[in-house]
Amino acid sequence: MKLKVIFSALMMSAVLFVSQAIAQTDGPKHPHKGDRFSPKKQTEWMKTELSLSDDQTAKVETINQKYSDKRKAMHEEHRKQMKALKDEQDKEFQSVLNKDQYTKLEAKKAEMKEKRKQAHKERKGTNK
C-alpha cells in the first residue's frame, strides 16, 4: 500500500513538473516570445501582407499591444496558480510521507529537473 502511495506521488509530481516545464519554456520558437513576435513586429507583418493604411496600422498596433499585454497577464496568473497548486501538493505529500521518503522525493524531483534542463540544452544545440 505504501509503495502505491509513493509511486502515485512520484507520478503526480512528474506530471506537475513536466507541465510547469512546458509552461516555462523560453526561446523564440514560442509564437508570443522574443522580438520576432512583438506587437510591433506583428503590426509590421500585417501592414506588409494586408497593405494597411497608416491609420489602420496605428489602430492595429494598438490592438496588438492590448492583447499582448493581456496574454502576458494571463500567463503570469497561470504561473502563480501552478505554483500554488504545487505548494498545496507538497504539503499533502509531507503529511503522508515520512521525512526520508519526502527527502527522496525532493531529490528525485531535482534529478528530473536537471535531466529536463540537459535535454533542453541538447535540443537547442541541434536546432541551430
Side-chain angles (χ1 to χ4, degrees), residues 3-112:
L3 189 57
K4 284 184 180 180
V5 170
I6 293 170
F7 181 75
S8 294
L10 281 172
M11 293 307 294
M12 287 188 301
S13 292
V15 168
L16 182 63
F17 277 108
V18 168
S19 65
Q20 280 186 315
I22 291 169
Q24 295 176 0
T25 56
D26 290 329
K29 288 180 180 58
H30 190 283
H32 300 295
K33 289 197 176 189
D35 190 45
R36 259 183 17 192
F37 297 102
S38 69
K40 200 173 256 332
K41 293 285 185 178
Q42 290 173 342
T43 302
E44 286 301 316
W45 178 85
M46 290 176 74
K47 180 180 180 178
T48 302
E49 294 296 318
L50 305 175
S51 303
L52 300 180
S53 69
D54 290 343
D55 183 52
Q56 287 175 312
T57 300
K59 289 176 182 176
V60 164
E61 186 167 6
T62 300
I63 293 168
N64 282 337
Q65 185 62 57
K66 174 182 166 183
Y67 286 94
S68 176
D69 294 344
K70 285 184 178 191
R71 279 190 300 273
K72 285 177 188 176
M74 287 174 67
H75 178 71
E76 188 56 39
E77 183 59 33
H78 178 67
R79 287 182 63 160
K80 287 177 186 176
Q81 289 174 350
M82 290 300 291
K83 183 177 180 342
L85 187 64
K86 180 195 171 299
D87 292 345
E88 185 180 329
Q89 183 184 33
D90 279 348
K91 283 182 184 177
E92 287 192 45
F93 285 154
Q94 287 176 345
S95 72
V96 173
L97 305 176
N98 66 37
K99 203 171 194 166
D100 288 341
Q101 290 169 327
Y102 186 77
T103 301
K104 225 182 221 185
L105 175 63
E106 290 298 304
K108 288 291 183 184
K109 287 179 187 179
E111 182 182 319
M112 288 186 291

